[in-house]
């Protein structure tokens, strides 16, 4: 079974997806981490981030993988911690903007999604990557709440910088940010993580029992 969780930055996708995967005994696939890994490798090689064709070739030649513990690997390197650097924060929207890169990454995501029960979170999972996912959820939240969550995740970044980053991310993601027609929308603004997880788990149980 594939559970697709989409939504804008700060809506709670990663935290919810991780908890849900743990509860269900599913694998967790963080597609954002995949783009971050490719961005990290491109910066390591000094590649121009404006060259989408070159970045797509890199992504295809060095496919991102996840080990059993959920650590992110690319080119034989564990980059789980490295990809959360501020430099990656600033650069990943540029890389993810390239259509050629997204095509390569989406195909890789499909490959990983076919390896058994999985929770996949991103921005276009239910619409493009896994349109046949058995359960689709679209998380939303007020921008103020999303900014607070981003600040909690990135304590080293100032509030103004985070607000600007969130605005840029929203603008960059706008073309892809739409829920699938059959997705269940959940507003996480005033909900606890466990509340959201329980709601999605109930959807999974309903689908499994059907």
């Amino acid at each position: 079974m594939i559970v697709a969780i989409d939504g804008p930055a700060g809506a709670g996708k990663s935290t919810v997806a991780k908890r849900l995967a743990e509860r269900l005994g599913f694998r967790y696939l963080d597609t954002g981490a995949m783009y971050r890994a490719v961005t990290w490798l491109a910066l390591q090689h000094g590649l121009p981030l404006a060259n989408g064709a070159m970045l797509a070739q890199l992504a295809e030649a060095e496919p991102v993988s996840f080990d059993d513990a959920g650590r992110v690997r690319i080119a034989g390197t564990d980059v789980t911690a490295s990809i959360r650097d501020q430099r990656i924060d600033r650069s990943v929207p540029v890389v993810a903007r390239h259509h050629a890169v997204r095509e390569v990454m989406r195909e890789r995501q499909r490959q990983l999604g076919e390896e058994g029960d999985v929770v996949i979170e991103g921005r276009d999972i239910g619409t493009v990557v896994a349109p046949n996912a058995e359960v689709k959820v679209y998380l939303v939240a007020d921008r103020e709440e999303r900014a607070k969550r981003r600040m909690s995740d990135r304590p080293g970044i100032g509030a103004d910088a985070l607000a600007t980053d969130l605005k840029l991310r929203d603008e960059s993601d706008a073309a892809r940010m739409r829920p699938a027609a059959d997705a269940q929308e959940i507003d996480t603004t005033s909900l606890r993580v466990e509340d959201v997880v329980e709601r999605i788990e109930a959807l999974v149980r309903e689908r499994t029992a059907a």
Side-chain angles (χ1 to χ4, degrees):
M1 172 181 282
I2 294 178
V3 179
I5 300 179
D6 291 308
K13 299 187 304 294
S14 296
T15 303
V16 167
K18 286 177 187 175
R19 299 271 185 90
L20 180 66
E22 291 171 0
R23 290 266 290 262
L24 297 174
F26 285 17
R27 289 178 301 114
Y28 164 58
L29 180 58
D30 179 353
T31 60
M34 296 175 69
Y35 283 100
R36 286 174 172 274
V38 171
T39 301
W40 176 87
L41 190 60
L43 291 173
Q44 290 294 111
H45 289 328
L47 300 182
L49 300 189
N51 192 323
M54 187 177 293
L55 295 175
Q57 291 176 358
L58 178 70
E60 191 163 20
E62 299 289 355
V64 182
S65 63
F66 296 84
D67 64 18
D68 292 339
R71 289 186 292 268
V72 189
R73 300 186 66 83
I74 190 169
T77 304
D78 180 348
V79 296
T80 308
S82 304
I83 60 175
R84 301 302 170 183
D85 184 81
Q86 290 183 35
R87 188 184 182 197
I88 305 300
D89 284 349
R90 293 191 298 269
S91 303
V92 69
V94 180
V95 173
R97 183 177 302 143
H98 296 296
H99 177 75
V101 174
R102 293 201 305 274
E103 285 300 302
V104 172
M105 298 302 282
R106 285 165 175 165
E107 183 55 35
R108 179 58 177 158
Q109 289 157 16
R110 293 186 186 104
Q111 292 172 359
L112 293 172
E114 292 172 356
E115 297 177 358
D117 295 331
V118 61
V119 178
I120 310 179
E121 60 100 341
R123 286 165 172 73
D124 57 6
I125 309 305
T127 54
V128 179
V129 175
N132 295 320
E134 289 86 345
V135 175
K136 299 178 186 178
V137 177
Y138 193 86
L139 303 183
V140 297
D142 292 345
R143 177 171 286 191
E144 182 178 343
E145 179 61 27
R146 290 164 53 213
K148 288 180 182 177
R149 293 171 184 172
R150 296 284 286 177
M151 187 175 296
S152 176
D153 291 339
R154 302 284 192 279
I157 306 178
D160 290 342
L162 270 173
T164 300
D165 174 68
L166 194 61
K167 181 175 182 292
L168 292 174
R169 291 290 295 276
D170 285 350
E171 292 173 352
S172 175
D173 294 338
R176 293 183 288 157
M177 291 311 303
R178 57 185 178 85
D182 54 346
Q184 176 75 45
E185 183 172 303
I186 300 175
D187 188 334
T188 69
T189 303
S190 59
L191 295 177
R192 297 179 304 123
V193 171
E194 286 305 310
D195 294 332
V196 182
V197 171
E198 287 175 4
R199 288 194 187 187
I200 303 175
E201 183 178 14
L203 295 175
V204 173
R205 302 299 182 196
E206 288 174 12
R207 186 56 191 260
T208 302

